[in-house]
Amino acid sequence: MNRPAIAVTGLGMITPAGNDTDTTWDGVCAGVSPARTVPELEGCAVDFACTVSGIDLDAAVGGRTAFRMGRYVKFAVLAAREAVADAGLDPAGWDGSRVAVVVGTSSGGSAGLTEQAVALERRGPAATSPSGILLTIPNMPAAEIAIQMKVTGPSLAPCTACSSGVTALSVARDLLATGQCDIAIAGATESIVFPVAMTGLARSGAAALRDGDPSRLCRPFGADRAGLVMGEGAAIMVLERAEEARTRGAALRALVAGTGATTDAHHPTSPHPSGTIARAAVDAALRDAGWQAEDVDHVNAHGTSTPLNDATEAALISRAYPHRPPVTAPKGVLGHCMGAAGAIEAGLTILTLQHGLVPPIANLDAPAPGFDIDCVTKVPRRLPVRRAVSHSFGFGGHNAVIALRRP
């Protein structure tokens, strides 16, 4: 069956590097992490993170609805507004029944649930919020976007841990390709920088522990990598069938050429040591795109800065792309934005396609010995990237890969 080409026509971001797409891109290209001590984490084994700052979220959301939204929901709403405006669309003028919303998250409102549990324990039922359940359930980013933008088409909230963003984009692509909508608002959001989550990451051994300046601790693919640094944020995109977008005069940021997904079925937190199942997701995305491996000009790696993940992914990259395309790993700057990471990194891959610029991996001088991959370090590398892939690998063994190309 011949599927229609699917285009990304709008992009919105809010991340630790910036409160919109342009400032996020500038921050990632600068290659300096904003990781800092977080006062709310005082006393935790991990008391630092990459957080969104310099914005009053309630004021930015506006109106009388912010009180019922968790932080992760506000991120999604703001990124969606930017994406829709970037696409040149106005919700007041569209047929909402032909619009879909697909917004993933990993932990949803776990921070809000914890806050409500503490209030109940310490001060009783009257101290809890009447909107407490709305602050916790993971479908609320999709729901609030639909409410604000009068979307009455499909509204979905995929959860595949750290690959949720790429899963959401894949689902949105399929909704458009099968004619179930004409416009899809898709991406992911996350905010779990709070004591319970940070303590859990520390106890699991996944998190980097304080060793000097927090901004230097996330070192994807480095010999001295010591664990992930938490981030937060959101990236939302507007997807349309390319032919229809061109007809309405929209500028196409990129085309979604293919996606692939597999499951390791190995361990809740550790990747399959052979990397073969994740490699199958790469192969599926390339096959879906109709590409050969050597067609790939750039790889945006999952690159968590954890010993096992980076070793497995470096081996995968060297085998899957033997022509050694340049590799970046945005978590060195942004930290690990968990459920939002895949959408943010797909957005950054689109910007690489547009600007012909591969951002550097923060805090990395050279990849660890034995990692036969071409890591971009120190400064951005100018390169005419036409085709690129972005990897997302999540807890539970979820693997998702998206292939993107210039229009």
Side-chain angles (χ1 to χ4, degrees):
M1 153 176 147
N2 291 326
R3 286 188 315 205
I6 305 301
V8 176
T9 58
L11 176 59
M13 290 189 186
I14 180 167
T15 73
N19 296 326
D20 58 26
T21 296
D22 288 344
T23 52
T24 291
W25 176 247
D26 290 344
V28 170
C29 286
V32 177
S33 171
R36 60 179 180 84
T37 300
V38 178
E40 292 79 5
L41 299 177
E42 183 178 0
C44 294
V46 176
D47 63 356
F48 56 89
C50 297
T51 58
V52 170
S53 62
I55 183 172
D56 182 331
L57 293 173
D58 288 351
V61 170
R64 301 178 60 187
T65 59
F67 77 93
R68 72 189 186 204
M69 298 183 193
R71 185 173 173 89
Y72 71 115
V73 179
K74 295 170 189 174
F75 288 164
V77 167
L78 295 175
R81 287 179 185 171
E82 184 188 7
V84 170
D86 183 51
L89 293 167
D90 181 354
W94 65 28
D95 177 359
S97 70
R98 298 298 302 163
V99 181
V101 180
V102 188
V103 179
T105 185
S106 177
S107 299
S110 54
L113 177 63
T114 301
E115 290 170 2
Q116 295 302 302
V118 170
L120 177 64
E121 176 69 20
R122 292 180 177 175
R123 302 192 301 279
T128 63
S129 170
S131 300
I133 193 66
L134 301 181
L135 298 172
T136 66
I137 52 180
N139 68 304
M140 290 316 297
E144 288 287 4
I145 290 169
I147 291 167
Q148 292 215 352
M149 298 190 176
K150 306 302 180 186
V151 172
T152 57
S155 179
L156 305 170
C159 175
T160 53
C162 311
S163 62
S164 296
V166 172
T167 300
L169 294 170
S170 180
V171 169
R173 190 274 301 262
D174 290 346
L175 290 174
L176 284 160
T178 55
Q180 297 182 64
C181 64
D182 298 324
I183 298 166
I185 301 167
T189 186
E190 195 82 276
S191 179
I192 55 171
V193 180
F194 69 105
V196 171
M198 300 301 284
T199 300
L201 281 171
R203 292 280 293 163
S204 74
L209 301 180
R210 181 180 284 277
D211 179 17
D213 181 356
S215 70
R216 300 287 301 168
L217 295 182
C218 190
R219 302 181 282 264
F221 299 114
D224 56 351
R225 64 194 185 280
L228 65 84
V229 172
M230 181 63 76
E232 63 177 2
I236 303 292
M237 297 169 212
V238 172
L239 282 67
E240 303 176 66
R241 288 181 286 273
E243 183 177 352
E244 294 168 20
R246 288 191 180 101
T247 298
R248 74 171 182 86
L252 310 190
R253 281 188 175 267
L255 296 176
V256 180
T259 62
T262 59
T263 309
D264 280 352
H266 167 69
H267 189 272
T269 59
S270 297
H272 195 288
S274 72
T276 55
I277 310 300
R279 166 70 185 273
V282 171
D283 291 343
L286 297 180
R287 188 166 55 250
D288 191 24
W291 298 354
Q292 300 299 314
E294 58 268 23
D295 293 327
V296 175
D297 299 319
H298 163 58
V299 176
N300 189 307
H302 188 57
T304 60
S305 188
T306 54
L308 283 178
N309 242 306
D310 284 10
T312 302
E313 188 175 16
L316 181 160
I317 291 171
S318 66
R319 290 195 299 266
Y321 315 99
H323 59 300
R324 301 183 80 248
V327 174
T328 194
K331 293 180 181 70
V333 172
L334 302 175
H336 196 331
C337 297
M338 306 306 282
I344 292 170
E345 289 160 16
L348 294 170
T349 304
I350 289 169
L351 293 171
T352 286
L353 291 167
Q354 288 190 284
H355 294 287
L357 203 64
V358 180
I361 301 175
N363 303 318
L364 182 68
D365 294 321
F371 288 6
D372 185 22
I373 57 177
D374 180 14
C375 290
V376 178
T377 64
K378 305 296 185 182
V379 296
R381 184 183 302 179
R382 191 157 292 283
L383 193 72
V385 179
R386 296 194 59 81
R387 299 177 185 87
V389 296
S390 185
H391 296 170
S392 291
F393 308 133
F395 278 1
H398 299 286
N399 306 308
V401 177
I402 187 166
L404 297 154
R405 69 176 179 89
R406 290 172 62 185

